[in-house]
Amino acid sequence: MHNVISNLSEFLEFNEEEGKAFESILIYKKIKKNEHLLVEGEHCNYGVFIQKGCIRHYYLNDGVESTGNFFFENGWYADFESFLYGKPSMLNIEALEDCELYLAYKSDFDKLVIQYPIFNNFLREMMERTIKGLTGKGMTMSLLNPEERYLALIKYRPKVVERVPLKHIASYLGVKPESLSRIRTRLTKNDKNLT
Amino acid sequence: MHNVISNLSEFLEFNEEEGKAFESILIYKKIKKNEHLLVEGEHCNYGVFIQKGCIRHYYLNDGVESTGNFFFENGWYADFESFLYGKPSMLNIEALEDCELYLAYKSDFDKLVIQYPIFNNFLREMMERTIKGLTGKGMTMSLLNPEERYLALIKYRPKVVERVPLKHIASYLGVKPESLSRIRTRLTKNDKNLT
């Protein structure tokens, strides 16, 4: 079974015909490490399944990057603001490793859903995950201090700590790279559970 | 027409029977200023329509409050994490003014949707608004400095500045009340567009 369809089947119930129909709208795309899939102002008129690799999305303000989140293999991503309303995206999406992706364009997806309404549940699942992710990020940023944020990352999202460059982790946690370096040094000295 | 149904009709198309059915699940509730509708650990197993007044939701961490957002008359609110998954809420919901609310309990809503699937679109609209709100808040917090955040509030959400006590605005903007006071004084001196 196609990897995307196998992933879908983990949270959606559908038959073989429906699975094949979903598979038919997928577009394979490779992007190299440090390349952008999307830059601010373009339309995120697709959802992305990450077959291999890791992407991040970030905002740019006066040349300063603010990383929203990281997404890894077997994860889905879309900028819903742009995807749902057809607005230009305010985000940038960059590959942090060589990536293999599958894109499902909204125009194709909209047609698919008319024929196979089961895939409305796919959209709902994606929206639920997005709300969960945004809520979690918001709580982390408002409730935890920088060291606690980093410790939470080690505990709950070790892939980020293992695979993402320090400068992007710092930008995700809302601290300067120097501050994150100091936090890491302090934690290592204190022999805390640091990977 | 019931105020809630009239509000619904602004973004959903439904017939009179469907409108009556939605109306039938609404439960009217009054809460006084400073009372809580929900405290952490309880289940937010309902959506709320604010007929009159203003509520805020906040997290508590070691006795420190962090305000997530404010919601005013004619607005809808639910803690989706709790509402969708039946989990205890991590939030507190407080009335900042005497409030008149209509609650739609999930158990009733789930039955309603089986009979009138049109209201799936209601849930979707609410999820879209939630994503929009969370994304906007995340961008504000990561891209703007405290003064810019406050100026954005004056420009885009004047009701918050007019009706919410300074300490809650400070907690929403992620600054200490003293810092927000200083920002306000500075802005007034600079004769900026401060309400």
Side-chain angles (χ1 to χ4, degrees), chain A:
Chain A
M1 197 194 287
H2 194 291
N3 199 23
V4 176
I5 307 308
S6 152
N7 178 280
L8 269 187
S9 70
E10 287 171 19
F11 54 90
L12 266 189
E13 277 187 44
F14 52 86
N15 62 33
E16 202 181 325
E17 180 189 336
E18 289 161 337
K20 289 278 175 212
F22 197 102
E23 191 178 328
S24 75
I25 69 164
L26 296 171
I27 290 167
Y28 180 74
K29 191 174 175 97
K30 267 186 165 181
I31 50 170
K32 287 207 175 299
K33 183 175 171 174
N34 299 331
E35 275 184 5
H36 279 75
L37 176 65
L38 182 103
V39 293
E40 191 182 333
E42 293 177 350
H43 287 78
C44 184
N45 54 356
Y46 46 77
V48 183
F49 176 82
I50 303 155
Q51 166 85 9
K52 182 174 164 291
C54 164
I55 60 174
R56 71 168 179 130
H57 76 218
Y58 65 94
Y59 301 104
L60 256 182
N61 191 30
D62 288 339
V64 179
E65 295 178 1
S66 173
T67 299
N69 222 328
F70 308 101
F71 301 86
F72 296 87
E73 58 280 342
N74 294 317
W76 291 89
Y77 177 70
D79 170 6
F80 268 105
E81 276 283 285
S82 182
F83 181 85
L84 292 173
Y85 305 110
K87 293 198 306 189
S89 181
M90 301 176 77
L91 288 165
N92 303 274
I93 306 176
E94 182 191 20
L96 295 181
E97 301 171 354
D98 290 346
C99 285
E100 292 179 37
L101 311 171
Y102 283 99
L103 273 53
Y105 278 86
K106 185 163 191 295
S107 50
D108 296 328
F109 183 75
D110 286 348
K111 281 182 217 151
L112 180 79
V113 162
I114 292 170
Q115 208 174 347
Y116 303 103
I118 179 71
F119 294 118
N120 272 316
N121 295 346
F122 167 73
L123 204 59
R124 172 156 167 185
E125 170 77 21
M126 291 303 114
M127 292 174 78
E128 288 184 14
R129 289 186 191 182
T130 301
I131 290 174
K132 212 169 176 170
L134 289 166
T135 305
K137 177 84 194 285
M139 282 180 65
T140 301
M141 297 305 283
S142 59
L143 292 180
L144 306 182
N145 67 36
E147 180 169 320
E148 289 167 338
R149 289 177 204 161
Y150 187 63
L151 285 170
L153 209 58
I154 293 173
K155 186 166 178 186
Y156 298 111
R157 303 190 67 195
K159 273 187 197 172
V160 173
V161 180
E162 287 157 20
R163 289 166 54 182
V164 173
L166 181 133
K167 65 178 177 182
H168 297 321
I169 298 180
S171 134
Y172 171 73
L173 296 177
V175 298
K176 294 208 162 55
E178 310 85 79
S179 311
L180 183 55
S181 284
R182 274 196 298 275
I183 289 170
R184 286 171 67 146
T185 308
R186 193 163 60 236
L187 290 173
T188 313
K189 276 187 189 156
N190 292 350
D191 197 25
K192 288 197 181 168
N193 180 28
L194 188 70
T195 53

Side-chain angles (χ1 to χ4, degrees), chain B:
Chain B
M1 197 195 287
H2 194 292
N3 199 24
V4 176
I5 307 308
S6 153
N7 178 280
L8 270 186
S9 71
E10 287 172 19
F11 55 89
L12 265 189
E13 277 188 44
F14 51 86
N15 62 34
E16 202 180 324
E17 180 189 335
E18 289 161 337
K20 290 276 176 214
F22 197 102
E23 191 178 327
S24 74
I25 69 164
L26 296 171
I27 290 169
Y28 179 75
K29 191 174 175 96
K30 267 186 165 181
I31 50 169
K32 287 207 174 301
K33 184 176 171 174
N34 299 332
E35 275 182 6
H36 280 75
L37 177 64
L38 182 104
V39 294
E40 190 182 336
E42 292 177 351
H43 286 79
C44 184
N45 52 357
Y46 47 76
V48 183
F49 176 82
I50 304 155
Q51 166 86 7
K52 181 175 164 291
C54 165
I55 60 173
R56 72 167 178 129
H57 75 218
Y58 65 94
Y59 301 104
L60 257 183
N61 191 30
D62 288 339
V64 179
E65 294 179 1
S66 173
T67 299
N69 221 329
F70 308 101
F71 301 85
F72 297 87
E73 58 280 341
N74 294 316
W76 291 89
Y77 177 70
D79 171 6
F80 268 105
E81 276 283 285
S82 182
F83 182 85
L84 292 173
Y85 306 108
K87 292 198 305 189
S89 180
M90 300 175 77
L91 288 165
N92 303 274
I93 306 177
E94 183 191 21
L96 295 181
E97 302 171 353
D98 289 346
C99 283
E100 291 179 39
L101 310 171
Y102 283 100
L103 272 53
Y105 278 87
K106 186 165 192 293
S107 50
D108 295 329
F109 183 76
D110 285 347
K111 282 181 216 152
L112 180 78
V113 162
I114 292 170
Q115 207 174 347
Y116 303 103
I118 178 72
F119 294 118
N120 272 316
N121 295 346
F122 168 72
L123 203 59
R124 174 157 164 182
E125 171 76 20
M126 291 304 114
M127 291 175 78
E128 288 183 14
R129 289 186 191 183
T130 302
I131 291 173
K132 213 169 173 167
L134 289 167
T135 305
K137 177 85 194 285
M139 281 180 67
T140 301
M141 297 305 283
S142 58
L143 292 179
L144 306 182
N145 67 38
E147 180 170 319
E148 290 167 337
R149 289 177 205 163
Y150 187 63
L151 286 169
L153 210 57
I154 293 173
K155 186 167 179 186
Y156 298 110
R157 303 189 67 194
K159 274 186 196 173
V160 173
V161 180
E162 287 156 20
R163 290 164 55 181
V164 174
L166 182 132
K167 65 177 175 180
H168 297 321
I169 299 180
S171 134
Y172 171 73
L173 296 177
V175 298
K176 294 205 162 58
E178 310 85 80
S179 311
L180 183 55
S181 285
R182 276 196 297 275
I183 288 170
R184 286 170 67 144
T185 308
R186 193 164 59 236
L187 290 173
T188 312
K189 277 188 188 156
N190 291 351
D191 198 24
K192 288 198 181 170
N193 180 28
L194 188 71
T195 53

